[in-house]
């Protein structure tokens, strides 16, 4: 599972990619949308890949940490 965040042109973005063998346990859309709430944004995609954008770049680190917790717990 890969979960990343970055800032481009002053806007925060998140992405999550999951290998097919793990999609029965994890959903990239759910993970990205949870992180996107923290950056005042939204996102979508497929069970194995999703991305999101937002408006609050100050919370990009909190969003990444939240996505990580969803995978680790």
């Amino acid at each position: 599972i890969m979960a990343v965040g970055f800032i481009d042109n002053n806007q925060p973005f998140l992405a999550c990619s999951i290998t097919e063998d793990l999609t029965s346990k994890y959903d990239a859309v759910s993970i990205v949308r949870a992180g996107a709430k923290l950056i005042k944004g939204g996102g979508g995609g497929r069970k194995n890949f999703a991305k999101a954008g937002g408006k609050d770049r100050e919370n990009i680190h909190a969003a990444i940490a939240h996505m990580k917790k969803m995978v680790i717990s």
Side-chain angles (χ1 to χ4, degrees), residues 26-69:
Y26 298 99
D27 179 18
V29 175
S30 297
I31 293 169
V32 161
R33 284 185 178 162
K37 288 180 183 179
L38 297 173
I39 58 170
K40 296 181 183 168
R46 300 180 310 272
K47 195 167 179 71
N48 67 332
F49 180 79
K51 58 185 177 177
K55 298 175 186 170
D56 185 4
R57 69 186 213 113
E58 298 301 320
N59 283 326
I60 189 75
H61 294 292
I64 296 166
H66 185 68
M67 293 191 307
K68 182 179 176 180
K69 283 182 189 176

